[in-house]
Amino acid sequence: MIRSKWLWAAMFIIPAVELFGFIFVAEHLGAPKALLLMLVSSVIGFLMMRFEGKKVLQDSRVQMQEGKVPGRTMLDGLCIFFGGLLLILPGFVTDIIGFSLVFPLTRPLYRVFLLKWIEKKMKNGTFTFYRR
C-alpha cells in the first residue's frame, strides 16, 4: 500500500519538477536551445551509459574468472542501469541524477546507500536472493 502511494506521488511530482526545470532553463536560454540541450544531454548520457556498462560487464567477467564475487561491480551495474533509465526520460533533473549515477566518480556515493538498503532488507528478511 505504501509503495503504491509513492508510485502515484512520483508519477505526478517528477513530471512537475521536470516541467519547472525546463521552464527555468528555457527562460534563460530560450526554448529551442533548451530542447537542443536536452536532446544532446540524453545522447551523451546514452553513449556514456553504453561505455560504462561495457566496462562493468568486462570487469565482472574478469572477477568471476578469478573466482571472486563481483559484488561492487554488480552494484555499479545497477547504478548504470538506473542512470540510463533516467537519462532516457526527457528532462534536466532526471538527466543530472542519471549522469551522476553513470559517472564513475559520483557512483560510489550511490553505492553506499544501496549497500545500506540491501543490508537493511536482508536483516528484515524482505530481501530474497537465489543461489544456483
Side-chain angles (χ1 to χ4, degrees):
M1 189 69 170
I2 293 173
R3 274 191 195 148
S4 65
K5 288 181 182 179
W6 279 105
L7 184 63
W8 280 106
M11 287 178 59
F12 291 107
I13 292 172
I14 292 172
V17 169
E18 290 296 350
L19 180 63
F20 287 124
F22 181 78
I23 290 171
F24 178 78
V25 172
E27 284 178 351
H28 288 81
L29 298 178
K33 288 181 184 177
L35 283 171
L36 182 64
L37 181 62
M38 192 182 304
L39 179 67
V40 168
S41 70
S42 292
V43 169
I44 290 171
F46 178 75
L47 294 172
M48 196 170 157
M49 178 190 68
R50 284 187 58 187
F51 176 76
E52 289 296 324
K54 286 179 183 178
K55 197 163 71 170
V56 163
L57 280 174
Q58 199 173 34
D59 290 347
S60 64
R61 281 190 193 125
V62 168
Q63 288 177 355
M64 287 175 21
Q65 286 173 351
E66 293 174 352
K68 298 177 184 175
V69 177
R72 190 192 119 248
T73 308
M74 296 305 284
L75 286 176
D76 283 349
L78 193 62
C79 288
I80 291 169
F81 174 75
F82 283 118
L85 287 177
L86 290 174
L87 287 167
I88 291 171
L89 294 173
F92 293 110
V93 177
T94 54
D95 280 353
I96 290 169
I97 297 169
F99 272 121
S100 67
L101 279 164
V102 172
F103 194 63
L105 295 177
T106 55
R107 203 178 311 140
L109 300 173
Y110 292 100
R111 196 181 318 129
V112 169
F113 290 112
L114 271 174
L115 284 172
K116 287 182 182 178
W117 179 77
I118 290 171
E119 183 180 342
K120 179 182 168 189
K121 293 289 183 179
M122 289 177 81
K123 284 182 181 177
N124 291 344
T126 56
F127 189 84
T128 307
F129 61 94
Y130 299 97
R131 181 177 279 187
R132 284 183 168 191

